[in-house]
Amino acid sequence: MTNDSGTAALAAELIRMAQADQQTSPGANSENPEQLAWRRLTAQHGDRLHQIIDEYGWPTAELVGEDAARGAWLIAQHADRQLDVQRRALRFMEQAVAAGSAAPRELAFLRDRTLVNEGRKQIYGTQIAGIKKGSPLPWPCEDPARMDDMRVEVGIEPFDEYVARFATG
């Protein structure tokens, strides 16, 4: 991580944003005012991430440290109502992964999230549409037969292990 005071402040900001996201995210799917707070927060964070990318490019671990880089990814991941921000983050993150500066696993999650938000089929099966009778229902996937192989390539556990975490029954 660079010792520059600007990047140190940026790292602290990204970490604060990610913490606020995680504290507010339980309200994301509620039908009460918490959902509005979640939407407002993710929109503010998406706007700020857009500005950060303008100024710094993708906030990699080399630039801001592991925690802040993960925070930037989380902010992009949750910018569901700002598809332009998600698409832009995806492009910048693809470049960072190609340069060895970002995690392919996180890129896979962001790619699936963006595809689902575009109304398209996901690739890696990381996005769950909901739970029915205690079983997770993933969004449709492009090539279900190859999905686990694709997941292994980017460091994601097999689909059955992944969705078992979402099961409620």
Side-chain angles (χ1 to χ4, degrees):
M1 184 168 106
T2 308
N3 289 329
D4 177 86
S5 63
T7 55
L10 174 62
E13 179 183 9
L14 286 166
I15 290 168
R16 279 192 309 273
M17 289 166 61
Q19 289 169 341
D21 178 285
Q22 292 298 280
Q23 290 167 355
T24 312
S25 66
N29 296 317
S30 69
E31 293 185 19
N32 59 35
E34 289 176 8
Q35 186 183 61
L36 189 57
W38 163 256
R39 287 181 181 184
R40 194 174 306 119
L41 182 75
T42 57
Q44 291 168 351
H45 288 173
D47 290 346
R48 180 62 182 127
L49 183 61
H50 186 75
Q51 294 169 344
I52 289 167
I53 292 171
D54 279 348
E55 189 171 344
Y56 296 93
W58 186 252
T60 62
E62 292 85 0
L63 181 68
V64 296
E66 290 289 334
D67 290 343
R70 183 162 172 78
W73 165 78
L74 183 69
I75 292 160
Q77 185 79 353
H78 289 167
D80 292 320
R81 288 166 190 82
Q82 295 167 294
L83 201 45
D84 58 324
V85 172
Q86 275 188 335
R87 287 176 178 145
R88 187 165 188 234
L90 185 64
R91 284 192 309 273
F92 274 81
M93 206 172 175
E94 284 169 346
Q95 294 168 2
V97 167
S101 300
R105 182 181 195 279
E106 291 175 352
L107 177 62
F109 274 83
L110 184 57
R111 178 168 286 128
D112 273 1
R113 187 81 166 231
T114 304
L115 287 167
V116 166
N117 286 333
E118 291 173 340
R120 297 164 58 196
K121 291 181 177 180
Q122 61 180 323
I123 297 168
Y124 301 95
T126 64
Q127 302 303 298
I128 304 299
I131 309 285
K132 185 175 182 178
K133 295 181 181 175
S135 296
L137 298 173
W139 287 99
C141 196
E142 242 177 52
D143 189 354
R146 287 202 55 238
M147 184 177 54
D148 273 336
D149 291 338
M150 303 279 292
R151 293 170 71 91
V152 166
E153 288 174 18
V154 296
I156 302 173
E157 68 266 52
F159 183 74
D160 289 343
E161 289 177 30
Y162 177 70
V163 296
R165 296 187 299 181
F166 296 93
T168 60

